Amino acid sequence: VSPVQASAAYLAHIRSAWNRAHPDEDESLERQVVIVTVPASFDEVARELTLEAAAAAGLGNVILLEEPLAAFYSWLMAHETDWEAWVKPGELILVCDVGGGTTDFTLIYLKDEDGQLGFERLAVGDHLILGGDNVDLALARVIENQFSRRQLSLKGNRWKTLCHQSRQAKERILNGDTETETITVLGEGGQLIGGTLTARLRRQEVEATVLDGFFPLVSATMAGESAKRKGITEFGLPYEQEPAVTRHLGWFLERHRGDVATHLGKEHPLPDLVLFNGGSLKPSVIQERIRHAVVKWFDETADRLPRVMENPDPDLAVSLGAAYYGLVKIGSGVRVGSGSPRAYYLEV
C-alpha cells in the first residue's frame, strides 16, 4: 500500500477505537478537533498528503503540528507554572529529534519584547532520512561479517530478522542492561536447525558503530556537494550519504548563524539548552555525545555544554504535546510563536 493508504489505515483504526469508547454521536472523533503530528521537515506536498490521509479516514477538522514542536509543548505542559526558572530571555533551545527513520532539528528561543516573554521558533532543519534504522543496518552488517567467514550471505527474511535482533541488542546494551548479546538466525527449509547461525555482539562493537559512526565528535566543516546526494537505498528508502547525525547538526546550526545573530545577538549559534526526543536518543551515552559534539563543533570549553531539558518519556512526548497544543489553540496554556518553518515567495 502507499504511505497515504497506510496513514489513513492508522487514523481510521484510531477513529474506530475512539468512537467505540465514546458511543455518543456528539463525542465522535469526526466532530472533534484532531491534532496530527508530522516531521518538522515535511514539505508542503507531504503535509497535503497527510491531510488527504486524514480525510480518507473520515477526519475533517485536522490541524498539523510538527513533532519537535509537539515535544517542546510536552515540556511546557510539565513546566507550565515554572518555565521562567528554566529558560532565560535570549537563550537558544535546540530540539533534537532522532527516531527510527528520520532526524529533525528545531531552534526555539525565549523572546523578550517590551517585558512580554514568549517562545518563538527560529529555524527548522532539512528532511533527513537518517535514524535508528540506519544504525540497525550497520550493526547487522557487523554481525553478518562474522557469518561471512563461512561464506554465508543472508537474504530476505533472514536478513530482516538479523536487523530486528540487532535493534533489540543495541537497545539492551546501550541502556546498560547487558554487556553482550547473542544473535541467532535460524536456517531455512531442511537446514532449519543445521543452518542456524550464531554470533555475539559486544558493547565495544556497538559503541564503535553507534558513537563513532553516527554520533562522532567532529570539527566544524562546510557541507560539500556530496552531502546533497543520497546514500545507499535499503528497504526502498533513500538514506543520507553522510551518516553522522552530529555533522548534520553542525551544518544546521551553521546555516542559521545569521538568524541567531539577528534575533539573539549571539556570535555563535551554540544552544544553551537541548531537548532530546525520539527513541534513538533514549540512551544517556548518546545524549552526552551530542552535547559534547556541539561544544567541539564551535571549539568551546566543556563549561558551555547545553543544559538538558527533562523529557521523562520520549515515546509519549509528541502525543502529550499535541494534546496540550489543542488546549493552546482554545486559549489555555503557553503558546510558542511558530510562524512558518520555511520562506515563501509571492508574486504580486
Side-chain angles (χ1 to χ4, degrees):
V1 300
S2 73
V4 174
Q5 291 172 306
S7 297
Y10 278 115
L11 292 171
H13 174 76
I14 293 171
R15 188 195 70 173
S16 298
W18 172 277
N19 290 346
R20 183 173 181 177
H22 301 81
D24 188 335
E25 185 176 349
D26 289 335
E27 295 181 1
S28 66
L29 198 61
E30 299 93 304
R31 300 195 175 196
Q32 310 304 318
V33 176
V34 178
I35 312 297
V36 176
T37 59
V38 296
S41 46
F42 259 20
D43 60 19
E44 292 311 305
V45 174
R47 295 170 71 92
E48 286 299 320
L49 290 175
T50 303
L51 292 175
E52 182 181 314
L59 304 176
N61 194 1
V62 173
I63 298 173
L64 299 184
L65 177 66
E66 294 87 354
E67 291 165 1
L69 197 56
F72 185 70
Y73 271 119
S74 176
W75 182 87
L76 278 177
M77 180 180 66
H79 297 279
E80 191 175 42
T81 59
D82 67 345
W83 59 264
E84 293 182 66
W86 293 84
V87 187
K88 304 303 179 186
E91 288 192 320
L92 184 64
I93 302 167
L94 166 67
V95 182
C96 187
D97 189 343
V98 183
T102 59
T103 291
D104 270 318
F105 304 125
T106 295
L107 289 178
I108 299 171
Y109 72 103
L110 183 56
K111 183 178 181 180
D112 185 353
E113 190 169 4
D114 299 326
Q116 295 294 318
L117 298 180
F119 291 100
E120 292 284 338
R121 184 174 62 184
L122 185 64
V124 171
D126 294 332
H127 191 193
L128 302 175
I129 302 183
L130 176 65
D133 292 343
N134 302 73
V135 178
D136 301 339
L137 290 170
L139 287 173
R141 291 297 183 199
V142 170
I143 298 170
E144 188 186 38
N145 287 337
Q146 298 184 34
F147 298 152
S148 64
R149 294 170 192 162
R150 291 181 253 169
Q151 297 182 341
L152 294 170
S153 179
L154 300 182
K155 297 179 181 178
N157 290 333
R158 298 181 83 196
W159 170 249
K160 293 178 182 179
T161 298
L162 177 58
C163 291
H164 289 310
Q165 290 199 37
S166 299
R167 174 180 58 80
Q168 295 170 343
K170 172 195 70 177
E171 292 173 353
R172 284 179 51 79
I173 290 175
L174 290 181
N175 289 335
D177 298 332
T178 183
E179 290 296 313
T180 62
E181 279 285 296
T182 300
I183 307 296
T184 303
V185 179
L186 295 177
E188 295 179 315
Q191 295 295 319
L192 181 63
I193 303 300
T196 298
L197 303 174
T198 302
R200 296 185 69 82
L201 190 62
R202 299 171 177 80
R203 173 176 292 277
Q204 182 179 0
E205 295 168 315
V206 173
E207 291 189 350
T209 301
V210 177
L211 298 183
D212 298 337
F214 293 89
F215 300 94
L217 297 173
V218 293
S219 300
T221 58
M222 296 303 294
E225 290 298 318
S226 61
K228 298 179 182 179
R229 302 197 308 270
K230 296 301 179 183
I232 62 170
T233 297
E234 186 89 34
F235 300 156
L237 296 175
Y239 289 131
E240 289 294 322
Q241 186 182 44
E242 171 54 66
V245 172
T246 46
R247 186 169 281 114
H248 284 289
L249 174 56
W251 290 338
F252 165 70
L253 294 172
E254 289 290 352
R255 282 197 300 272
H256 297 284
R257 179 183 289 270
D259 297 326
V260 172
T262 299
H263 294 279
L264 284 79
K266 292 179 177 291
E267 180 183 358
H268 299 304
L270 175 63
D272 299 288
L273 301 102
V274 58
L275 175 64
F276 294 110
N277 194 58
S280 295
L281 299 186
K282 283 183 179 180
S284 58
V285 63
I286 295 181
Q287 294 184 11
E288 287 304 301
R289 174 55 68 93
I290 291 176
R291 293 175 70 209
H292 284 85
V294 171
V295 170
K296 180 175 176 58
W297 182 277
F298 293 106
D299 199 23
E300 292 284 352
T301 55
D303 61 336
R304 291 296 310 277
L305 285 175
R307 308 192 305 276
V308 177
M309 305 177 81
E310 182 184 9
N311 185 5
D313 198 339
D315 291 328
L316 297 179
V318 168
S319 296
L320 291 171
Y324 183 74
Y325 180 70
L327 295 176
V328 170
K329 293 292 288 185
I330 60 174
S332 302
V334 182
R335 185 181 182 87
V336 178
S338 57
S340 171
R342 56 187 59 82
Y344 288 87
Y345 296 90
L346 303 179
E347 181 180 357
V348 180

